[in-house]
Amino acid sequence: MDEGCSRIRRRVSVRKRNRRSLESVFAALTAAELKPGDEEKEDEDEETVAGSRRRKTMDVQPVENIDSEEDMFGDYDSFAENSLLAQVDDLEQKYLQLPEHRKHATDHATEDLCSESIKHNTLSITTVGDCTELKIDAHTKNQSGHEDVSIDPEADVLYDIPSSQVLFFENLYNSSNDLGDPSTEERDWNSSSHKTVNEELPINNVEQPQQTDESSSKVRTSSDANRRKSLKDHLKNTMTGNAKAQTPVFSRTKQLKETLLSEEINVAKKTIESSLDDLGPFYSLPSKVRDLYVQFKGIEKLYEWQHACLTLNSVQERKNLIYSLPTSGGKTLVAEILMLQELLCRRKDVLMILPYVAIVQEKISGLSSFGVELGFFVEEYAGSKGKFPPIKRREKKSLYIATIEKGHSLVNSLIETERINSLGLVVVDELHMIGEGSRGAILEMTLAKILYTSKTTQIIGMSATLNNVEDLQEFLQAEYYTSQFRPVELKEYLKIKDTIYEVDSKAENGMTFSRLLNYKYSDTLKKMDPDHLIALVTEVIPNYSCLVFCPTKKNCENVAEMICKILSKEYLKHKEKEKHEVIKNLKNISNGNLCPVLKHTIPFGVAYHHGGLTSDERKLLEEAYSAGVLCLFTCTSTLAAGVNLPARRVILRAPYVGKEFLKKNQYKQMIGRAGRAGIDSTGESILILQEKDKQQVLELISRPLENCYSQLVQEFTKGIQTLFLSLIGLKIATNLGDIYHFMSGTFFGVQQKILLKERSLWEITVESLRYLTEKGLLQNDTILTEKGLLQKDTIHGSEEEFQYSFHITKLGRASFKGAIDLAYCDNLYRDLKKGLEGLVLESLLHLIYLTTPYDMASQCHPDWMIYFRQFSQLSPAEQNVAVLVGVSENFIGKKASGQAIRKVDKNIVNRLYLSFVLYTLLKETNIWSVSEKFNMPRGYIQNLLSGAAAFSSCVLHFCEELEEFWVYRALLVELTKKLTYCVKAELIPLMEVTGVLEGRARQLYNAGYKSLMHLANANPEVLIKTIDHLSRRQAKQIVSSAKLLLHEKAEALQEEVEELLRLPSDFPGIVASSIEKA
């Protein structure tokens, strides 16, 4: 068929006999009766078929203009036994004997329909016997008003039927038998890429049979469905009637159109639903995606709100969107489907920004399997991981999953390399964090840059706790969708003494009496458990799960121990074997060590969960809780904002987080964990409060969520100054006017009337630029004087001032490339410069000191006796490092003995102490022994290690921009790797796989899986049998992650090879020829 022209084509199997009657029929036709074009076409076709078979193509007029008659029987002029009727009779018998034929034929037609509709975005309509195929291109129209009719010979049961009889035969067969497919449920395709099927065919597009004689009568094709006759009798009657009566001109075409259309629309719907390759059935995605969600996550059906959100006009039109639902409402699934649409349908990269490293790693583990199956990369940007700029892929697209800080660096690198438009979608989880401190400021900068530099990148933000959405909508230029849907009903309660009240917004004081606690407490028990926690938890455990949120980490451990002291021995029998396995596994991953509190509580199904645990411990306990082996967690508020661990009942031990009173956002996030979809019919939250806090709690429950406000100005060095430095460094805005214009489009710009009371946005802009200039990070073409700028009281400067332009210095570029906090960038430069004078390379201590995070040092409180003991054990070379940085043994000794001494820079002393911790950890690679030596929580030591790894990566990027620090580059690459993994060298390749931590890596290595290739080719079922305490889900995730990482590395090498073999664009011959052409 010709492109761009709608055609309805009919293929009919025909065998023409070599009979003299054929010649006589055509001899009767005069030259006037045939158009010249038709004669030529006919001659060509007859030559091609060589006399025995014929392909004839003629112009057909629209139905309304047809008034000629047609010989229904062509050259079949015999009524004898070997005639047409005899053949038809035989054919009818053959059909009756082959009941399976029709089904087989329909299956083939369906296959053909599927492939055609995918390839051309058309709806193919195929008739039920293999004799006629009707294809309708849904988006074009025949411009000429004529159609080509092609008759091709095919191996078919209707082989010997002439073309004029085929349509009649089909029509009759369709009328006398119910061939309709069972009605299939309609699927909403939800994509503009799929055309709506018109329910009527244009009359002038319906193909007409071959016309041979204008003087012959029209065919009458009516058939009586209620009268069951043989096909032979029907044909005899019709032949006889043809000579006597004229049929209305629309009878055959109209009836054919109606029967075919109703039949084939059903076939089309069924085909598109069952197809595996199309881009449409599952929200514009291949139906394979739907199958993967069933296979990997057990999700068979979307909630109504999810369907409504995905089919919003704003989503279809790729407008920016903010959506808000209660916790556990299923927000992430919508984001994942939108990300897959971008990766697979629009072929663009996607960035997903998440608040914490643990959630990034959890998300990567969950989506790696999709990446392997659907052909895209999943790349981690968290801690020290991530490449800047990201690798430019040849074919496959990338899903970048990043923390807030790494997401900002990634966007900077894409803008710098002019690749920001390759980013099709940015998804931000926990959007309310834009109002939380320095991380909020960084998130705001990231989004503002995307909005300013790319008009094609879509931004999707989601959160459970948003209030002043209008400001965020204005900032992101976004639509807003919200719903109060929860998969499980949530009931909120307050507990005062032994009485429980239900939260009721309609009640006068916001609560109504529910019940009294029915639990007999002895006097001793009342002293141990004054808040009646035992009564509350024993109502749900061990058969259901429970979370108890506590104000502090220490309180978590104390409450867990207290509960286990009071619980009866019966709780020890519940899943006893599985709990013993959990304890055994905890020992395995910790080199035989086990926390004494967990050793006591786990047999009862209870554990604490807070930042003091190592990543390995936390992950193992979370898996045990999800599996129902552990039934109660005592935890801090960070669990509410972290991984998804729902419970039947959530108890808030007190309305405090630390020493601060609970905020509404925090309260909502905590109680949002109540109720497990698909398991619980209802979820309960109980807030325990004292009488003194009653009024404050009632106000808390009744008031709206807190507004979120821009942190750009409040976080000065990490906010507005960092923003200005990167704007000028990336050449997004280089003069005062452009910078001021950019600021007007930020979240801060939207809220400036609320946030700025004393100073104008203009004054803040000028002040920040002056600070950066004075610090040596920027240079300006015209000196900013007090007289020139700061006397401006108005919001805007003069035209001349708008033209003040800036450019970034080498130090400034190094600072923004390394993502160094500007409060410390000059300190870092000074320390690195000083290090060059006498860099001690006999041990790693000096390098570790240079990469110890400044912000963690300022919060450190050394134990001076431990400090002195560790100092005295240093080798002479290591002591020399301490002297070089300015800390003497004499000073530490005096501090340890409590003597008053002269002031020394506290930050340097603290930083060296943390360096000792890290240095010891790298030597011993055992967090437990280091924790014991320095009397520090093991979780804090692990956080220090990951912070040092991230900062080491930043210092490396900083040094790459400054030629004088060339010596640090090679040294810091190795140090960063050591700090990232902190294991023996042989385990590092295994720990590159997301989800494989030290304990698991050691198990895999001992089982013979010593490289990435081993893991990528592993059989998950064999892994389960070989590795202790490894679930099937974990095994599949590890193998998928390894495969994805292996593919990434192979792809990178392939690209490198192609780049090396490619002719350079600046090759002399190419340059010369392009100049000549110009």
Side-chain angles (χ1 to χ4, degrees), residues 845 863-875 878-879 889 892 912-913 915-917 919-921 923-924 929-930 932-935:
L845 183 59
D863 182 317
W864 297 106
M865 283 304 296
I866 293 172
Y867 203 159
F868 182 71
R869 194 182 310 128
Q870 291 299 318
F871 201 105
S872 59
Q873 292 172 4
L874 295 176
S875 68
E878 291 163 348
Q879 286 190 355
E889 187 176 8
I892 303 298
L912 185 63
Y913 184 67
S915 302
F916 285 175
V917 177
Y919 181 53
T920 310
L921 185 58
K923 282 197 295 184
E924 299 184 11
S929 64
V930 176
E932 197 174 320
K933 267 183 188 175
F934 288 89
N935 192 26

Side-chain angles (χ1 to χ4, degrees), residues 194 253 278 426 466 506 1022:
H194 292 273
T253 54
D278 59 293
V426 175
L466 283 177
K506 296 174 184 175
V1022 175

Side-chain angles (χ1 to χ4, degrees), residues 217-235:
S217 63
K218 279 285 177 183
V219 180
R220 177 173 183 137
T221 58
S222 61
S223 60
D224 188 351
N226 297 324
R227 294 166 57 203
R228 184 70 181 168
K229 295 182 180 181
S230 75
L231 182 59
K232 186 173 177 180
D233 290 336
H234 273 295
L235 284 172

Side-chain angles (χ1 to χ4, degrees), residues 381-570:
Y381 279 79
S384 61
K385 292 186 177 179
K387 293 182 180 178
F388 302 104
I391 297 170
K392 194 174 183 179
R393 306 292 181 188
R394 291 178 306 137
E395 293 175 4
K396 293 183 179 179
K397 297 301 168 188
S398 291
L399 168 57
Y400 310 114
I401 302 182
T403 55
I404 291 171
E405 294 80 7
K406 287 290 179 178
H408 182 229
S409 298
L410 178 65
V411 168
N412 282 344
S413 67
L414 288 172
I415 293 171
E416 187 176 27
T417 53
E418 298 182 349
R419 285 167 52 194
I420 189 65
N421 287 324
S422 68
L423 201 60
L425 174 66
V426 175
V427 173
V428 182
D429 195 8
E430 310 295 354
L431 184 61
H432 62 269
M433 288 194 73
I434 202 169
E436 295 182 14
S438 61
R439 306 192 82 212
I442 293 168
L443 180 57
E444 181 179 344
M445 287 189 275
T446 307
L447 296 175
K449 286 175 189 173
I450 293 167
L451 287 165
Y452 194 84
T453 57
S454 175
K455 301 304 176 191
T456 58
T457 305
Q458 184 184 15
I459 296 173
I460 305 283
M462 52 180 168
S463 174
T465 54
L466 283 177
N467 190 33
N468 55 331
V469 182
E470 297 81 7
D471 289 348
L472 282 165
Q473 274 186 270
E474 188 179 342
F475 164 48
L476 295 176
Q477 301 148 36
E479 303 284 324
Y480 179 57
Y481 177 86
T482 187
S483 168
Q484 291 308 308
F485 171 82
R486 271 186 62 89
V488 178
E489 183 190 2
L490 173 63
K491 293 183 178 178
E492 296 177 46
Y493 298 96
L494 304 176
K495 179 192 158 299
I496 305 171
K497 295 181 179 176
D498 60 352
T499 308
I500 293 179
Y501 301 90
E502 185 171 358
V503 173
D504 185 359
S505 57
K506 296 174 184 175
E508 188 177 341
N509 60 352
M511 61 182 191
T512 54
F513 173 80
S514 176
R515 64 190 173 96
L516 288 170
L517 275 178
N518 183 23
Y519 192 92
K520 293 178 181 178
Y521 270 84
S522 64
D523 292 339
T524 311
L525 203 58
K526 280 181 183 177
K527 287 178 183 177
M528 288 179 67
D529 181 23
D531 294 326
H532 307 96
L533 273 173
I534 286 294
L536 294 173
V537 300
T538 50
E539 288 177 348
V540 287
I541 66 168
N543 296 321
Y544 297 100
S545 55
C546 182
L547 294 175
V548 180
F549 283 102
C550 304
T552 65
K553 292 175 186 176
K554 191 62 185 171
N555 192 231
C556 288
E557 297 176 34
N558 292 341
V559 169
E561 284 198 287
M562 180 270 292
I563 289 171
C564 292
K565 281 177 184 174
I566 301 172
L567 286 176
S568 70
K569 302 295 180 188
E570 290 295 315

Side-chain angles (χ1 to χ4, degrees), residues 845 849 852 857 867 871 874 881-883 885 887 892 907-917:
L845 183 59
Y849 172 79
T852 301
Y867 203 159
F871 201 105
L874 295 176
V881 173
V883 173
V885 300
V887 181
I892 303 298
N907 288 326
I908 293 176
V909 176
N910 291 359
R911 200 164 174 230
L912 185 63
Y913 184 67
L914 292 182
S915 302
F916 285 175
V917 177

Side-chain angles (χ1 to χ4, degrees), residues 15-244:
R15 178 183 293 163
K16 296 295 182 183
R17 304 183 207 171
N18 293 323
R19 298 178 55 175
R20 289 181 185 179
S21 58
L22 184 66
E23 296 168 13
S24 63
V25 169
F26 280 95
L29 293 171
T30 63
E33 289 172 311
L34 285 173
K35 296 179 184 176
D38 297 332
E39 290 179 28
E40 289 170 17
K41 289 178 187 173
E42 194 174 30
D43 290 342
E44 289 168 10
D45 290 338
E46 285 185 30
E47 281 177 27
T48 306
V49 182
S52 64
R53 292 183 182 179
R54 177 180 63 192
R55 178 184 175 100
K56 198 189 299 184
T57 306
M58 293 181 66
D59 287 344
V60 179
Q61 300 299 327
V63 173
E64 292 84 357
N65 301 328
I66 295 175
D67 53 6
S68 62
E69 297 173 0
E70 178 183 38
D71 177 10
M72 185 174 176
F73 309 110
D75 57 348
Y76 288 84
D77 52 1
S78 171
F79 276 78
E81 280 301 306
N82 293 325
S83 68
L84 163 70
L85 294 181
Q87 292 177 53
V88 169
D89 198 41
D90 290 341
L91 184 61
E92 185 182 25
Q93 294 303 319
K94 189 185 290 187
Y95 253 78
L96 292 172
Q97 289 169 19
L98 297 171
E100 289 301 311
H101 176 80
R102 187 186 60 188
K103 182 179 182 299
H104 179 70
T106 307
D107 289 344
H108 279 294
T110 304
E111 269 184 40
D112 185 49
L113 169 69
C114 174
S115 60
E116 284 295 313
S117 64
I118 295 162
K119 191 171 179 183
H120 300 295
N121 275 341
T122 62
L123 172 64
S124 305
I125 299 180
T126 311
T127 61
V128 174
D130 269 347
C131 51
T132 303
E133 183 176 334
L134 196 60
K135 295 192 177 182
I136 302 166
D137 189 320
H139 63 277
T140 57
K141 225 174 187 179
N142 189 346
Q143 296 172 356
S144 64
H146 300 285
E147 292 292 340
D148 291 344
V149 178
S150 47
I151 302 174
D152 300 325
E154 292 178 353
D156 199 295
V157 281
L158 299 184
Y159 196 88
D160 289 324
I161 303 298
S163 66
S164 57
Q165 292 301 309
V166 173
L167 292 176
F168 176 82
F169 174 78
E170 290 164 4
N171 192 16
L172 176 65
Y173 198 72
N174 286 338
S175 301
S176 59
N177 296 284
D178 181 14
L179 298 182
D181 285 345
S183 60
T184 56
E185 189 180 332
E186 287 194 31
R187 175 162 296 282
D188 188 353
W189 297 343
N190 305 312
S191 172
S192 57
S193 63
H194 292 273
K195 311 295 180 188
T196 305
V197 179
N198 291 328
E199 300 218 349
E200 273 190 48
L201 300 178
I203 291 177
N204 63 342
N205 277 358
V206 179
E207 181 180 302
Q208 300 301 319
Q210 188 77 33
Q211 295 183 15
T212 56
D213 191 348
E214 289 188 4
S215 60
S216 64
S217 63
K218 279 285 177 183
V219 180
R220 177 173 183 137
T221 58
S222 61
S223 60
D224 188 351
N226 297 324
R227 294 166 57 203
R228 184 70 181 168
K229 295 182 180 181
S230 75
L231 182 59
K232 186 173 177 180
D233 290 336
H234 273 295
L235 284 172
K236 279 184 180 179
N237 289 340
T238 305
M239 291 178 195
T240 309
N242 276 347
K244 300 177 182 178

Side-chain angles (χ1 to χ4, degrees), residues 324 464-468 664-666 668 703-707:
S324 175
T465 54
L466 283 177
N467 190 33
N468 55 331
K664 182 65 178 276
N665 290 353
Q666 293 169 325
K668 278 290 185 186
R703 69 168 171 253
L705 293 163
E706 288 85 7
N707 291 336

